[in-house]
Amino acid sequence: MLYDLYTPRGEQLSETPWQCYPRPQLRRESFFHLNGDWDFAVSETKSLPDHYGDTIRVPFCPESLLSGVHRHFPEGSFLFYRRFFTLPEGFARDRVLLHIGAADQVLDCFVNGRAVGSHTGGYTAMTFDITDTLTDHNEVVLRVRDDLRSPVLPYGKQTMRRGGMWYTPVSGIWQTVWLESVPRQYVRSLSIRTDDRQAVIDTGDETLCGAVTVRTPAGEMTCPLEKGRALVRPDAPRLWSPADPYLYEFTLTAGEDRVESYFALRRLDVRQVNGTARLCLNGKPLFFHGVLDQGYYSDGLYTPAAPECYEEDIRAMQKLGFNTLRKHIKVEPEEFYYQCDRLGMMVFQDMVNNGEYRFVRDTLLPTLGVQRRNDARLHRDPDTRAAFLAGMEATVAQLKNHPCIVLWTIFNEGWGQFEGDNAYARLKELDPDRFVDTASGWFRPGQSDVDSRHIYFGPWRLKAGDKPLLLTEFGGACLAVEGHLFHPDKAYGYSTCKTRAELAEKLRRLYETRILPAARQGLCGAIYTQLSDVEDEINGLITWDRRVVKVDAETMQPLARALQKAVEE
């Protein structure tokens, strides 16, 4: 039997959810969100419907409780969303843009009966200029199609036959829909590259000139924006770290446009510490003590009930001593990364997998030790390869300004993996300043900044070599908490505990006998599975409905301190 579980914020959901500004690193005063109730229809054909029989609450996917629909549709169905709107008086300037944070997987947009654009890819944002279609009273229709029968487009851990480590699929719109008004010439994007001394802010438009005013601990400083670029060199740089997540806020003015943003100064590099390759932040070795974060919620699935849920998850993990989240095979709304930037939570960001998954090849044999495989001949379909690389490039472009992201993971456990060395080279071209884990778990190619392992059942062979060593998945101990289970008759994980005390003791022994000795010998980080339960998978440190934390700070905090001390010795 399956149970409907609401999070505390899901029980208090407003009629117009997710009212926060959805793009923290490129903010303007003009913002008009379209979240809330939309007309909704489903069809086997792409023709725009004559009748809408349902209502759906955006930005929640129709499979979720919070959407008000809460059901699946046949694969390949067309989902139609319709809403009428009138722009607030004085809102429209020269151009009006319609933004959609994400929709899975292919979206077509119509305004007042006219097609204004399309987007492919379920995890990245899209923008449509709708100026020329607007009238006094407007109709927007969004047509979305998602088909998991084809593994070409990235899909993450979604499956129509959910169970175990595979979860309920997500269709349609799952992030904020909003309008913005801009002058004729405006800042379309920002690329911010920093180290521990300076920031280079690039608009990508050489015709833009103006100024960048930065708020620093010593006061404001103004730098010229010339040919779309500005160089900022604060005196006495204050460096970003988990202990001091300082953000330099700034205002960029160019002609009639004015935007707000921020950056952080910090440096990532690999250094030899007592003869061992260590991952360092701001010149000092740091143990990346983390948990796997799937980004699923019991009532909203891909989308939590409110943006505050991200802060609550982050602070819950920090209270337990963790400083890193591995965002697992999902790209979040930018609000998540902003909260990590602001609160000092580091992120290992996965790319979203596509391609065919095979249990024997990708899980069973590698778990038994068969972890060497030439990936040049894997997943040879050119469309699948092109779609993955396009998704990777779009992900980096959308997220690379966030200082919290310290490492990119390209492939996980061989899922969709192909030509890892080439993928590594391409990602380093896109972002040369972060660590890259080409293959998390196994099928490790030659090119990677780290040696990345997964261990759930042993043997525990964690010997550091020439590259910094990471344990990017381990643990997975289960504790069923009665009244907070999605599927009480089924449980998935890697070991079982009957009480909170038993779980605490298992975690203490695991870290003290396995992780801590390895950290002294060269291990640079370890990612425990996982932050929360997800459906059948009950190996989270928090229940899926986010109501019960299964372990306490008194158990976990001393372990965190010991791990950091180990990499400093």
Side-chain angles (χ1 to χ4, degrees):
M1 182 176 180
L2 305 183
Y3 286 88
D4 296 341
L5 298 176
Y6 284 89
T7 62
R9 290 194 179 272
E11 286 185 336
Q12 305 166 12
L13 189 68
S14 69
E15 292 183 1
T16 55
W18 276 80
Q19 298 184 51
C20 70
Y21 196 95
R23 198 181 53 201
Q25 286 198 316
L26 186 59
R27 305 187 302 273
R28 289 187 178 89
E29 290 184 359
S30 63
F31 168 51
F32 180 50
H33 83 80
L34 296 177
N35 291 339
D37 287 346
W38 288 56
D39 298 328
F40 183 67
V42 180
S43 175
E44 296 180 357
T45 67
K46 65 188 303 183
S47 300
L48 300 185
D50 297 323
H51 175 70
Y52 289 79
D54 278 325
T55 299
I56 188 169
R57 184 176 291 118
V58 171
F60 304 107
C61 68
E63 293 86 355
S64 71
L65 288 166
L66 297 181
S67 70
V69 177
H70 194 210
R71 62 182 185 271
H72 298 276
F73 302 99
E75 293 183 81
S77 296
F78 292 92
L79 310 183
F80 292 91
Y81 298 74
R82 182 181 67 179
R83 173 152 177 174
F84 299 95
F85 68 91
T86 301
L87 292 176
E89 185 175 352
F91 178 84
R93 299 172 70 183
D94 292 326
R95 312 302 298 175
V96 174
L97 309 178
L98 172 65
H99 300 281
I100 303 168
D104 204 8
Q105 294 175 301
V106 180
L107 180 142
D108 301 297
C109 180
F110 306 85
V111 177
N112 296 325
R114 293 173 56 183
V116 296
S118 301
H119 178 82
T120 298
Y123 296 87
T124 49
M126 63 206 81
T127 300
F128 306 111
D129 188 329
I130 64 172
T131 311
D132 298 335
T133 68
L134 293 174
T135 64
D136 291 339
H137 303 284
N138 302 281
E139 175 198 61
V140 57
V141 173
L142 305 175
R143 179 178 64 201
V144 190
R145 187 171 187 263
D146 184 8
D147 193 346
L148 289 174
R149 292 173 298 184
S150 171
V152 172
L153 294 177
Y155 59 88
K157 301 190 82 172
Q158 303 178 62
T159 178
M160 293 301 292
R161 297 181 178 179
R162 53 147 301 280
M165 66 178 181
W166 298 94
Y167 311 139
T168 295
V170 169
S171 304
I173 298 166
W174 62 277
Q175 290 188 32
T176 291
V177 182
W178 58 292
L179 296 170
E180 179 182 38
S181 184
V182 296
R184 190 170 305 279
Q185 186 178 35
Y186 63 96
V187 177
R188 296 173 183 267
S189 64
L190 289 178
S191 176
I192 305 172
R193 187 174 180 183
T194 68
D195 54 26
D196 54 357
R197 297 177 297 112
Q198 64 184 27
V200 177
I201 301 168
D202 191 345
T203 67
D205 184 349
E206 293 187 356
T207 68
L208 290 177
C209 295
V212 172
T213 300
V214 184
R215 293 173 283 285
T216 79
E220 288 190 350
M221 62 181 295
T222 300
C223 307
L225 179 75
E226 299 175 335
K227 294 185 177 181
R229 288 166 58 96
L231 175 63
V232 182
R233 287 179 173 167
D235 294 330
R238 184 170 170 180
L239 303 186
W240 186 95
S241 71
D244 182 21
Y246 185 78
L247 302 177
Y248 286 86
E249 296 183 347
F250 68 86
T251 302
L252 185 154
T253 55
E256 297 180 10
D257 201 12
R258 181 180 186 273
V259 299
E260 302 279 342
S261 189
Y262 66 88
F263 63 83
L265 300 179
R266 57 121 176 89
R267 178 182 292 275
L268 298 165
D269 59 9
V270 176
R271 301 190 179 196
Q272 292 291 319
V273 179
N274 298 325
T276 300
R278 291 286 189 187
L279 299 179
C280 295
L281 173 65
N282 301 327
K284 298 179 180 179
L286 183 70
F287 192 85
F288 294 80
H289 180 40
V291 294
L292 200 70
D293 181 4
Q294 310 270 10
Y296 263 82
Y297 293 80
S298 62
D299 45 13
L301 297 180
Y302 260 20
T303 314
E308 290 84 359
C309 296
Y310 293 135
E311 178 177 351
E312 291 164 0
D313 277 357
I314 293 165
R315 290 194 183 278
M317 292 301 100
Q318 288 177 325
K319 186 176 181 180
L320 297 179
F322 294 103
N323 61 22
T324 304
L325 299 178
R326 180 182 170 196
K327 180 52 66 175
H328 194 37
I329 320 184
K330 184 191 176 196
V331 177
E332 294 286 5
E334 284 204 60
E335 178 68 15
F336 165 79
Y337 303 96
Y338 167 64
Q339 294 300 333
C340 289
D341 292 340
R342 183 178 70 87
L343 298 172
M345 178 62 79
M346 297 181 294
V347 175
F348 289 3
Q349 177 63 48
D350 289 10
M351 300 304 160
V352 183
N353 61 288
N354 66 342
E356 183 184 37
Y357 168 80
R358 296 181 183 175
F359 172 73
V360 173
R361 178 193 65 195
D362 296 327
T363 298
L364 178 59
L365 292 177
T367 300
L368 295 175
V370 183
Q371 298 187 358
R372 300 285 183 181
R373 191 179 184 94
N374 184 344
D375 64 7
R377 297 179 61 81
L378 292 175
H379 302 98
R380 287 180 286 177
D381 176 66
D383 292 338
T384 301
R385 291 185 172 196
F388 177 84
L389 294 175
M392 180 179 78
E393 293 181 11
T395 297
V396 173
Q398 183 165 306
L399 300 183
K400 69 178 181 179
N401 293 342
H402 289 281
C404 65
I405 298 177
V406 296
L407 177 145
W408 303 109
T409 301
I410 302 178
F411 298 113
N412 177 75
E413 294 187 351
W415 301 355
Q417 182 172 335
F418 66 94
E419 295 184 345
D421 288 344
N422 292 339
Y424 170 88
R426 178 58 184 144
L427 185 47
K428 278 296 188 179
E429 290 177 1
L430 298 170
D431 183 0
D433 301 323
R434 287 181 173 87
F435 306 127
V436 173
D437 179 359
T438 304
S440 179
W442 38 77
F443 302 162
R444 294 179 290 278
Q447 296 299 310
S448 180
D449 292 334
V450 296
D451 181 359
S452 179
R453 309 294 181 91
H454 293 181
I455 300 177
Y456 285 111
F457 304 107
W460 284 81
R461 299 185 184 126
L462 286 173
K463 183 177 181 181
D466 295 335
K467 297 177 182 178
L469 179 63
L470 289 175
L471 181 60
T472 45
E473 286 187 35
F474 78 103
C478 294
L479 175 63
V481 180
E482 187 176 354
H484 303 274
L485 299 173
F486 171 71
H487 198 171
D489 298 329
K490 286 190 177 181
Y492 178 85
Y494 302 102
S495 63
T496 301
C497 301
K498 294 182 178 180
T499 65
R500 290 169 60 99
E502 185 180 347
L503 176 62
E505 179 61 17
K506 184 181 286 275
L507 290 172
R508 186 191 64 77
R509 288 201 313 269
L510 180 59
Y511 277 97
E512 288 184 349
T513 64
R514 298 296 190 184
I515 308 303
L516 189 54
R520 296 190 180 106
Q521 296 171 11
L523 183 67
C524 297
I527 305 297
Y528 180 83
T529 302
Q530 61 184 328
L531 187 151
S532 74
D533 296 348
V534 184
E535 299 189 339
D536 298 353
E537 195 168 356
I538 58 168
N539 49 21
L541 298 176
I542 307 177
T543 56
W544 195 30
D545 58 6
R546 302 309 201 271
R547 292 179 183 270
V548 179
V549 180
K550 302 179 187 180
V551 292
D552 54 51
E554 289 73 19
T555 298
M556 302 303 296
Q557 283 279 0
L559 299 171
R561 292 192 292 268
L563 289 167
Q564 180 55 35
K565 183 178 179 181
V567 302
E568 295 173 349
E569 292 177 344

